[in-house]
C-alpha cells in the first residue's frame, strides 16, 4: 500500500527540484521549515521525531534541501516530511506538510475489530511495522 | 424633528410617530459596545423613510404602537434602539439602508436566540413597511467574548486531521434517500478509500424507515475505519444527529462519540438553541461540528426581504459551529463571487474591515473566536478545481457529491480524480504559476498520467451553471448619507 498522508501523496513522488520550489513558497510566506521522521506512521501519531529544530533563520531553499538529504541519508527507510510552520497570530500552526521520503516497502495497517455491545465494534488501527522495535521496522 | 419634547408632551397617552419617540437620532455616535445592524427597508407608499427606520428601531427594541407611561420608570433612553443613519439603496428607488444601534444591555450574554428575538423578532411583519431585510450586523467585542465560538475551529481541525495546505475534500452520499445501511456504508468506504477526507449525510437523512440512525452510524464507522487503515489517513463521515428533540440529538451524538467518529453534523432548521447546545457538547467531547444550512434560502435569497446569509454566518460563528455551507460561486446554488467572498471572510478572518463590494457594512473584530471552515457544495466537479481554489482559497471543504459518485469508472475513481486535481493545482499554485489562467492546461497535463481525472474531465467538462445571481450587492464606491 501507499500511505497517503501529506499534501502531495496522490502525485508522483516530488523530485528534489519540485521540493525546492515548495520550500521557496513556504519561505516566501515567512514560514519556518521543520523536518520530521518516523517509523510509526499511525494516522494519529502527531509527534514524529524532529531532525534538529525548525530552521527559523534559514532563507536559502538549497540549505534546507541539503538538510532533507542529510535526513534521508541517516534514515533511508523512514517516513520523512517537511512541515512549514506559520507563526502568524491566529494561525500558529503547520500550513503545509508533505512527505519527502518513504520506505521502499509499505506493509500498511491491520484493522483490529473488537466486537462490543449490540452491533457496535471498537476499532484499532495497527501499523504492521510497529510489531518490531523502533529503528528496526522498515528494511530494504 | 430633532426638537426633544419634554416629558409631559412626550408621554401624553396616544400615538405619536416612532421618530418622535426617540428612535431616530441622526446625531448619535455609536459606542464601541453597541450592537449595530443595517436593514434594507422598503416603506409602504406614503410612509416617510425616516419614520420607517425609526419604527424598525422601535419594534426591534422597546417600543409598542402607543405611548406607555411605564417607560418613565426605566432608563428608557438607554434601552431604545436608535436609527442613526439612512441611505437610499443605490440604483434602487424606494429602498433604504437604515443603520440602527442597540445598547449592549439589551441582550443576554452568549445567547443567539435572545439576540435574534430582538433583531428579527417582531419587526419583519410590521405593516408600515412593505419589506425588510437584515443586511449586516456589527457585533461588539464585549458581546462576542460571551460566546464560545467554534467548538474546534480551522486550526485545531487541521491538526486533528493532520491535513494542511490544501482544501479538504468531501462528498455527500447519493442518492440522499433510500439506501440501506450496508449500501450506504459502501458509498462512504469507496469515496474515502479513493482519496476523500470526508463523506457526509445529507440534510434530510435522519432516521427514516429505509435506514434507522443506528444502522447508518454503525455502517459508516466501519467504512471510515476501513478506509483509514487502507490509506494511513484520518478520515471522517459527518453523522447527522438532527432529530425531533434535544434528548434524541444528544443520544445520537453520544453514540457517534462512542463509535469513535471525529465529526457530527446538524441542520440549521434544528434552530439556534439546538445549535448552541450541540456546539457546547462538541467542545466538551472533542467533536468537529458540521452545520448544513438547510432552509436558509427560504429567507436569505431575495434581496428585499429576509436575512442576508452573511448575518447567518456571523450568528453561526458565534453559536459555535466548525463547518458551514457558504456557497461555491461556480456550482449549482446561488452565489455571486463578491457576495460569497463576504461570507467566506466572515467565517475565516480574524477581523473583517467594512467592504461594501462584499456586502460588509461594518468593521468587525472577531475577538479571537475560532475560524469556521466554509463548505462548498452543490454542482462542482474536478474540472473547476482552479476556479474553486481561486475563489475560495485553501481553507474550505470542497464537496463533490455527484462529482465523485457519478464518475463513470466508479466512486473510488471519482474520489481519486478530485484529490489528484486538488493536489496538482496546489502544487502549481505554490510553484508560482498563474493557476487560474493555466488551470485547464494543468488539469489536462495531470490527466495524462491519471486516468480517473481524464474520465472526470471528459464527463463534466462542459457543465456550468451560468445563471444570473439573485442576491447581489448594491453599492456605490462612496456611500453618502442623505438624511
Amino acid at each position: 500500500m501507499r500511505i497517503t498522508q501529506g499534501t502531495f501523496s496522490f502525485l508522483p513522488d516530488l523530485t528534489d527540484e519540485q521540493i525546492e520550489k515548495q520550500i521557496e513558497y513556504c519561505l516566501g510566506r515567512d514560514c519556518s521549515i521543520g523536518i520530521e521522521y518516523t517509523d510509526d506512521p499511525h494516522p494519529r501519531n502527531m509527534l514524529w521525531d524532529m531532525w534538529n529544530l525548525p530552521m527559523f533563520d534559514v532563507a536559502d531553499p538549497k540549505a534546507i534541501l541539503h538538510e532533507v538529504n542529510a535526513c534521508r541519508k541517516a534514515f533511508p527507510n523512514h517516513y520523512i516530511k517537511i512541515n512549514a510552520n506559520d507563526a502568524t497570530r491566529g494561525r500558529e500552526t503547520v500550513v503545509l506538510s508533505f512527505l519527502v521520503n518513504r520506505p521502499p516497502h509499505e506493509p500498511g495497517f491491520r484493522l483490529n475489530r473488537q466486537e462490543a455491545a449490540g452491533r457496535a465494534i471498537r476499532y484499532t488501527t495497527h501499523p504492521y511495522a510497529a510489531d518490531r522495535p523502533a529503528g528496526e521496522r522498515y528494511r530494504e | 424633528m430633532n426638537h426633544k419634547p419634554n416629558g409631559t408632551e412626550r408621554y401624553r397617552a396616544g400615538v405619536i410617530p416612532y421618530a418622535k419617540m426617540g428612535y431616530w437620532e441622526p446625531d448619535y455616535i455609536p459606542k464601541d459596545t453597541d450592537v449595530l445592524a443595517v436593514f434594507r427597508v422598503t416603506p409602504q407608499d406614503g410612509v416617510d423613510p425616516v419614520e420607517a427606520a425609526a419604527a424598525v428601531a422601535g419594534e426591534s427594541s422597546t417600543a409598542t404602537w402607543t405611548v406607555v407611561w411605564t417607560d418613565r420608570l426605566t432608563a428608557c433612553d438607554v434601552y431604545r434602539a436608535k436609527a442613526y443613519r439612512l441611505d437610499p439603496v443605490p440604483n434602487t428607488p424606494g429602498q433604504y439602508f437604515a443603520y440602527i444601534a442597540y445598547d449592549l444591555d439589551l441582550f443576554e450574554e452568549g445567547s443567539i436566540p435572545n439576540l435574534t428575538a430582538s433583531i428579527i423578532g417582531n419587526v419583519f411583519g410590521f405593516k408600515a413597511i412593505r419589506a425588510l431585510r437584515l443586511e449586516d450586523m456589527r457585533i461588539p467585542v464585549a458581546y462576542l467574548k460571551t460566546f464560545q465560538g467554534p467548538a474546534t475551529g480551522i486550526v485545531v481541525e487541521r491538526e486533528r486531521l493532520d491535513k494542511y495546505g490544501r482544501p479538504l475534500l468531501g462528498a455527500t452520499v447519493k442518492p440522499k434517500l433510500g439506501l440501506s445501511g450496508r449500501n450506504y456504508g459502501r458509498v462512504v468506504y469507496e469515496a474515502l478509500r479513493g482519496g476523500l477526507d470526508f463523506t457526509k449525510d445529507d440534510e434530510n437523512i435522519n432516521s427514516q424507515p429505509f435506514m434507522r440512525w443506528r444502522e447508518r452510524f454503525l455502517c459508516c464507522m466501519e467504512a471510515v475505519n476501513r478506509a483509514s487503515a487502507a490509506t494511513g489517513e484520518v478520515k471522517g463521515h459527518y453523522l447527522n444527529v438532527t432529530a425531533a428533540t434535544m434528548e434524541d440529538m444528544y443520544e445520537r451524538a453520544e453514540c457517534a462519540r462512542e463509535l469513535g467518529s471525529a465529526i457530527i453534523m446538524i441542520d440549521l432548521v434544528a434552530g439556534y438553541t439546538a445549535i448552541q447546545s450541540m456546539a457546547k457538547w462538541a467542545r466538551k467531547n472533542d467533536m468537529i461540528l458540521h452545520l448544513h444550512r438547510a432552509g436558509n434560502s427560504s429567507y436569505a435569497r431575495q434581496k428585499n426581504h429576509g436575512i442576508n446569509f452573511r448575518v447567518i454566518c456571523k450568528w453561526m460563528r458565534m453559536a459555535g459551529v466548525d463547518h458551514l455551507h457558504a456557497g461555491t460561486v461556480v456550482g449549482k446554488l446561488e452565489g455571486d463571487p463578491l457576495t460569497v467572498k463576504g461570507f467566506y471572510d466572515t467565517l475565516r478572518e480574524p477581523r473583517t474591515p467594512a467592504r461594501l463590494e462584499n456586502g460588509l457594512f461594518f468593521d468587525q473584530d472577531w475577538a479571537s473566536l475560532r475560524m469556521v471552515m466554509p463548505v462548498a457544495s452543490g454542482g462542482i466537479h474536478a474540472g473547476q478545481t482552479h476556479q474553486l481554489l481561486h475563489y475560495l482559497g485553501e481553507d474550505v471543504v470542497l464537496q463533490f457529491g455527484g462529482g465523485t459518485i457519478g464518475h463513470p469508472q466508479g466512486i473510488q475513481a471519482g474520489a481519486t480524480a478530485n484529490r489528484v486535481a486538488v493536489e496538482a493545482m496546489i502544487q502549481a499554485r505554490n510553484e508560482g504559476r498563474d493557476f487560474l489562467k493555466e488551470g485547464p492546461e494543468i488539469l489536462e497535463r495531470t490527466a495524462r498520467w491519471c486516468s480517473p481525472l481524464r474520465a472526470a474531465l471528459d464527463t463534466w467538462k462542459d457543465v456550468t451553471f451560468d445563471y444570473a445571481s439573485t442576491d447581489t450587492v448594491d453599492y456605490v464606491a462612496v456611500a453618502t448619507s442623505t438624511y
Side-chain angles (χ1 to χ4, degrees):
Chain A
M1 64 92 72
R2 178 183 170 88
I3 288 181
T4 46
Q5 297 174 12
T7 310
F8 301 121
S9 280
F10 271 70
L11 304 180
D13 289 340
L14 302 194
T15 64
D16 279 9
E17 193 191 344
Q18 289 171 321
I19 291 169
E20 200 180 316
K21 284 183 178 163
Q22 295 299 319
I23 294 172
E24 261 181 64
Y25 166 78
C26 299
L27 294 175
R29 282 186 62 178
D30 281 335
C31 293
S32 56
I33 297 203
I35 299 169
E36 298 182 355
Y37 61 95
T38 193
D39 60 1
D40 174 13
H42 189 281
R44 286 171 68 175
N45 174 14
M46 60 175 171
L47 297 175
W48 292 22
D49 292 300
M50 290 197 295
W51 177 259
N52 298 324
L53 296 182
M55 290 169 266
F56 292 108
D57 302 307
V58 181
D60 178 10
K62 287 212 162 24
I64 292 170
L65 192 61
H66 178 82
E67 286 300 316
V68 169
N69 282 319
C71 184
R72 281 170 168 165
K73 204 171 161 197
F75 298 103
N77 298 325
H78 280 52
Y79 293 93
I80 303 175
K81 68 182 170 189
I82 284 180
N83 285 344
N85 304 292
D86 183 347
T88 307
R89 177 81 186 92
R91 180 62 60 166
E92 296 155 298
T93 187
V94 174
V95 292
L96 187 68
S97 174
F98 59 98
L99 293 177
V100 291
N101 201 66
R102 53 175 81 231
H105 174 62
E106 300 179 86
F109 303 88
R110 182 174 66 231
L111 185 64
N112 288 334
R113 293 182 182 81
Q114 183 196 356
E115 297 84 351
R119 302 295 302 160
I121 292 177
R122 298 197 177 283
Y123 297 94
T124 306
T125 307
H126 182 79
Y128 289 110
D131 288 336
R132 286 192 292 275
E136 296 170 22
R137 287 172 181 162
Y138 294 91
R139 296 167 192 148
E140 294 295 338
Chain B
M1 186 159 294
N2 291 324
H3 157 73
K4 287 224 166 176
N6 66 34
T8 318
E9 286 175 52
R10 164 65 179 81
Y11 290 100
R12 187 171 295 134
V15 177
I16 59 173
Y18 287 88
K20 291 206 170 135
M21 286 198 242
Y23 296 104
W24 168 244
E25 257 195 58
D27 300 330
Y28 182 74
I29 297 168
K31 300 194 295 280
D32 286 347
T33 54
D34 283 346
V35 170
L36 304 181
V38 56
F39 291 87
R40 179 191 294 250
V41 184
T42 311
Q44 294 282 12
D45 291 342
V47 173
D48 174 19
V50 166
E51 175 61 8
V56 170
E59 289 294 324
S60 61
S61 60
T62 53
T64 186
W65 60 279
T66 185
V67 171
V68 291
W69 62 268
T70 42
D71 269 350
R72 302 191 76 181
L73 301 174
T74 71
C76 55
D77 285 345
V78 172
Y79 297 124
R80 263 185 216 118
K82 290 130 189 121
Y84 64 93
R85 177 175 166 179
L86 190 63
D87 299 339
V89 175
N91 310 315
T92 317
Q95 296 185 10
Y96 300 84
F97 288 131
Y99 291 70
I100 297 173
Y102 300 83
D103 190 87
L104 184 57
D105 279 352
L106 290 169
F107 307 107
E108 179 178 344
E109 300 84 348
S111 172
I112 297 289
N114 181 252
L115 175 71
T116 55
S118 276
I119 306 290
I120 60 168
N122 265 344
V123 63
F124 280 69
F126 197 56
K127 277 184 177 170
I129 47 177
R130 181 182 301 157
L132 184 65
R133 190 188 202 204
L134 178 56
E135 288 284 354
D136 197 11
M137 291 187 73
R138 192 282 306 267
I139 313 294
V141 167
Y143 195 44
L144 281 180
K145 280 294 187 189
T146 67
F147 285 84
Q148 169 191 281
T152 314
I154 290 178
V155 167
V156 177
E157 173 170 356
R158 285 193 176 280
E159 289 188 348
R160 282 192 199 159
L161 300 174
D162 189 35
K163 296 170 194 289
Y164 306 99
R166 65 166 171 86
L168 301 175
L169 291 168
T172 308
V173 175
K174 305 283 175 182
K176 51 208 266 185
L177 299 171
L179 292 171
S180 71
R182 185 173 178 279
N183 291 336
Y184 201 89
R186 165 63 65 189
V187 178
V188 171
Y189 172 72
E190 298 291 322
L192 296 178
R193 176 75 181 85
L196 302 191
D197 306 301
F198 288 128
T199 48
K200 172 180 168 292
D201 288 341
D202 224 332
E203 74 282 3
N204 51 357
I205 274 281
N206 293 157
S207 189
Q208 284 106 319
F210 53 82
M211 177 175 56
R212 297 298 179 186
W213 69 271
R214 286 188 59 90
E215 292 149 25
R216 185 171 88 254
F217 283 27
L218 291 168
C219 293
C220 287
M221 289 318 295
E222 171 74 13
V224 166
N225 283 289
R226 278 209 56 202
S228 185
T231 59
E233 291 182 70
V234 179
K235 303 277 188 184
H237 176 83
Y238 319 159
L239 292 166
N240 190 345
V241 302
T242 307
T245 67
M246 278 316 294
E247 290 74 20
D248 290 335
M249 287 177 54
Y250 285 132
E251 182 189 5
R252 295 176 194 188
E254 288 291 345
C255 178
R257 186 181 67 80
E258 278 169 24
L259 294 173
S261 185
I263 183 165
I264 58 170
M265 72 174 269
I266 49 172
D267 296 335
L268 185 56
V269 290
Y272 303 139
T273 300
I275 291 167
Q276 284 199 268
S277 291
M278 288 317 301
K280 294 223 160 138
W281 183 92
R283 171 73 65 86
K284 205 182 292 176
N285 290 280
D286 312 317
M287 193 69 82
I288 301 168
L289 182 60
H290 176 99
L291 180 69
H292 186 293
R293 57 173 169 171
N296 91 92
S297 288
S298 62
Y299 50 78
R301 191 175 180 195
Q302 297 302 321
K303 273 171 82 164
N304 68 337
H305 192 83
I307 308 171
N308 192 296
F309 186 67
R310 76 180 65 91
V311 178
I312 303 294
C313 290
K314 289 190 176 174
W315 292 347
M316 290 304 104
R317 187 167 177 179
M318 295 157 73
V321 305
D322 294 314
H323 285 190
L324 177 59
H325 292 242
T328 63
V329 179
V330 298
K332 71 178 178 184
L333 301 177
E334 174 74 34
D336 141 75
L338 290 171
T339 308
V340 169
K341 179 170 168 39
F343 303 159
Y344 274 63
D345 286 354
T346 293
L347 295 173
R348 293 191 300 205
E349 295 295 323
R351 59 183 53 80
T352 46
R355 263 197 315 259
L356 292 178
E357 69 266 34
N358 299 125
L360 302 175
F361 288 73
F362 303 105
D363 293 337
Q364 174 71 58
D365 182 339
W366 280 99
S368 303
L369 251 66
R370 288 177 167 180
M371 302 178 279
V372 180
M373 185 80 85
V375 177
S377 179
I380 59 176
H381 56 81
Q384 302 160 326
T385 306
H386 51 299
Q387 296 164 315
L388 293 165
L389 185 60
H390 169 76
Y391 286 117
L392 311 178
E394 68 180 37
D395 279 325
V396 58
V397 186
L398 301 177
Q399 297 221 153
F400 303 94
T404 299
I405 296 158
H407 193 283
Q409 297 166 351
I411 300 170
Q412 277 199 33
T416 302
N418 294 326
R419 178 80 173 263
V420 167
V422 162
E423 292 192 1
M425 205 57 67
I426 289 287
Q427 184 192 26
R429 181 199 67 177
N430 295 1
E431 287 182 356
R433 305 266 298 276
D434 180 355
F435 66 90
L436 182 60
K437 199 167 126 222
E438 298 172 38
E441 182 203 324
I442 291 163
L443 292 173
E444 283 295 324
R445 196 139 27 97
T446 308
R448 275 186 223 151
W449 58 263
C450 179
S451 69
L453 181 57
R454 176 75 271 148
L457 296 179
D458 291 342
T459 305
W460 293 304
K461 63 177 183 295
D462 297 324
V463 177
T464 57
F465 298 91
D466 205 4
Y467 303 100
S469 288
T470 306
D471 182 18
T472 52
V473 179
D474 291 321
Y475 79 105
V476 286
V478 181
T480 47
S481 181
T482 53
Y483 284 84

